[in-house]
């Protein structure tokens, strides 16, 4: 999946939308930061990201805080949500990425090292 996702991410010229529970896959984060840090002449990309509130404050991935910090410092607009549900198990389970309002990836895989490498 990573080669396809990487190709669509690299081709992005305007906007990245995302919703994730975990996010720590370094090649993906690095590429997003590069797109966010382009000069205006290079057509800087904007990013809107929604993360699960509980996992944001107590991440299950050790590398997630640094990944999210890198995206935030590069200019990503980040929100957290706690989905409504019964009991303590409500979480952002469905994940997605949308590039330039044209290409969408959706499913249950997080953008993590474990999802792409293990």
């Amino acid at each position: 999946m990573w080669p396809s996702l990487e190709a669509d991410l690299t081709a992005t010229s305007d906007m990245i939308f995302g919703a994730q529970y975990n996010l720590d896959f370094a090649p993906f984060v690095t590429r997003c930061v590069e797109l966010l840090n382009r000069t205006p002449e290079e057509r800087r990309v904007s990013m809107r990201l929604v993360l699960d509130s509980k996992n944001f404050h107590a991440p299950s991935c050790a590398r997630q805080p640094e990944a999210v910090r890198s995206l935030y410092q590069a200019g990503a607009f980040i929100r957290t949500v706690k989905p409504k549900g019964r009991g303590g198990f409500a979480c952002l389970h469905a994940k997605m990425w949308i590039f330039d309002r044209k290409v969408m990836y959706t499913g249950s895989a997080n953008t993590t090292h474990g999802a792409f490498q293990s």
Side-chain angles (χ1 to χ4, degrees):
M1 183 171 135
W2 172 237
S4 177
L5 184 64
E6 180 181 30
D8 288 322
L9 175 62
T10 299
T12 300
S13 63
D14 181 42
M15 173 71 79
I16 301 168
F17 293 102
Q20 294 285 293
Y21 180 76
N22 284 333
L23 173 63
D24 77 351
F25 189 55
F28 181 86
V29 172
T30 299
R31 188 69 187 120
C32 287
V33 168
E34 290 170 356
L35 291 168
L36 291 165
N37 283 328
R38 285 181 178 168
T39 65
E41 296 80 29
E42 296 175 301
R43 181 107 176 147
R44 184 175 291 165
V45 170
S46 61
M47 180 180 213
R48 293 185 172 271
L49 180 59
V50 177
L51 298 171
D52 181 83
S53 184
K54 183 176 180 184
N55 197 54
F56 177 80
H57 295 289
S60 57
C61 290
R63 293 178 293 262
Q64 179 169 296
E66 183 56 38
V68 172
R69 184 178 304 110
S70 296
L71 292 169
Y72 178 76
Q73 289 174 339
F77 181 78
I78 301 172
R79 292 272 191 204
T80 61
V81 297
K82 177 173 183 353
K84 294 181 180 182
R86 291 186 253 186
F89 296 105
C91 67
L92 184 66
H93 180 69
K95 289 77 170 188
M96 68 155 188
W97 289 107
I98 301 173
F99 305 117
D100 289 340
R101 297 175 182 91
K102 297 176 186 173
V103 178
M104 180 176 180
Y105 287 80
T106 186
S108 60
N110 289 295
T111 310
T112 62
H113 178 77
F116 288 106
Q117 300 293 322
S118 299

